[in-house]
Amino acid sequence: MRVCAGRQCFELKFVANQVPSMSSLFRRRQVWLPTLWGWLVLLIFGAAAAIVIASGANGFLALNEPAVAKDGAGARILVVEGWLSETDLDQAVAAFRRGRYERVLTTGGPVESWGDSHAWKSFAERAANYLKDHGLADVPVVAVPAPKSAQDRTFVSAVMVREWAQRSGVGLDVIDLFTAGVHARRSRLVYRMALGSHVQVGVLSSWPREFDPEHWWTSSSGTKLVIGEALSLIWTKCCFWPAQAGAMIGPSSSSLTWTGPSGRASR
């Protein structure tokens, strides 16, 4: 191209490859998108999958799988979480009578209230007293209180059970854990983390009274419990990294420390 300014003219030349072409920056691809009927089919399959998942969610979380030792014998120790309601504790009594248990351990941290009118220092003591007064007076019921903890209370309680067994010389080869409904699967997972792979941990769950477990999504309490426990189970599996089972923690400690996924100590 010739450009003139006054009496002087200049010849400008452009090299084609100096300016990037569109084809060197972008490329064309064909994308398939669903039609209206396609979206309808996907919606139907998605709804069917949601119904199947919802109908089985409570049964998946609220396990009832007693432990079985290598010799085929069942557990002789029943661990009862002390924060359970009186209705749940009544079901724990019935579960004890159905099994061949010889001892009950109750767990739980300090009882906190606005006043000092309560008679128990911990949920473990509260549950132990209730079980003794409601059918287990002739059974060794031992309260294993846990220190105060703002998070991961189930793990803290499991560690206290482990340390109680070490101090008492009681073997924990096989145990069953009794807890409330949808807490069962996650509680068993946490106890396995705390006690180690050499301990067979079974679990029994109470039947909820505040909602229909087969149609939990029809009530606010059922929806909150099931969805909340499902999310907590996912978090525990992917993000909770406790210390190796067997690491000693003092029974009088006011807090517990273990290793997080980044390798840093957390409480």
Side-chain angles (χ1 to χ4, degrees):
M1 184 175 65
R2 188 178 181 83
V3 178
C4 295
R7 295 182 179 180
Q8 296 182 347
C9 294
F10 304 91
E11 192 73 24
L12 299 180
K13 295 182 180 181
F14 293 93
V15 181
N17 59 9
Q18 288 182 346
V19 179
S21 62
M22 294 296 291
S23 61
S24 65
L25 297 177
F26 302 95
R27 60 180 173 177
R28 181 181 297 176
R29 283 194 173 184
Q30 191 175 27
V31 179
W32 290 81
L33 294 176
T35 63
L36 180 60
W37 286 105
W39 282 116
L40 181 60
V41 171
L42 291 176
L43 180 62
I44 292 173
F45 275 101
I51 292 174
V52 171
I53 294 174
S55 61
N58 185 85
F60 176 77
L61 296 172
L63 285 178
N64 278 285
E65 294 182 359
V68 179
K70 295 180 180 179
D71 59 359
R76 294 294 181 263
I77 296 178
L78 181 64
V79 179
V80 179
E81 296 199 290
W83 56 266
L84 301 180
S85 67
E86 293 182 357
T87 301
D88 294 332
L89 292 175
D90 289 336
Q91 295 182 54
V93 173
F96 181 91
R97 294 303 182 190
R98 288 193 302 267
R100 297 182 178 180
Y101 304 107
E102 300 173 353
R103 188 194 309 266
V104 177
L105 305 181
T106 58
T107 66
V111 175
E112 297 180 357
S113 64
W114 288 104
D116 296 326
S117 58
H118 56 79
W120 312 283
K121 294 181 179 179
S122 67
F123 284 101
E125 295 177 4
R126 166 188 171 272
N129 281 301
Y130 186 91
L131 294 177
K132 291 176 182 178
D133 293 341
H134 292 80
L136 298 185
D138 57 335
V139 176
V141 180
V142 181
V144 185
K148 183 178 180 180
S149 177
Q151 60 183 15
D152 304 318
R153 289 180 289 272
T154 300
F155 180 79
V156 175
S157 294
V159 171
M160 292 298 102
V161 169
R162 186 187 72 202
E163 294 194 0
W164 172 87
Q166 292 173 346
R167 295 193 307 271
S168 305
V170 176
L172 290 181
D173 296 334
V174 185
I175 67 167
D176 281 341
L177 172 67
F178 191 92
T179 188
V182 294
H183 295 274
R185 183 173 289 274
R186 182 167 63 95
S187 293
R188 183 181 68 172
L189 173 63
V190 172
Y191 265 75
R192 285 176 171 176
M193 290 178 175
L195 300 181
S197 59
H198 63 282
V199 180
Q200 296 291 328
V201 181
V203 67
L204 303 172
S205 61
S206 62
W207 187 264
R209 300 296 178 89
E210 62 270 20
F211 65 93
D212 179 5
E214 300 298 328
H215 303 89
W216 54 267
W217 58 88
T218 60
S219 69
S220 60
S221 60
T223 300
K224 182 167 62 175
L225 281 173
V226 172
I227 293 179
E229 270 303 313
L231 294 176
S232 297
L233 177 63
I234 293 172
W235 181 88
T236 301
K237 282 182 171 292
C238 75
C239 305
F240 183 57
W241 297 77
Q244 293 183 353
M248 288 300 295
I249 299 173
S252 61
S253 300
S254 59
S255 61
L256 302 180
T257 302
W258 53 88
T259 302
S262 62
R264 298 171 58 187
S266 59
R267 292 184 184 276

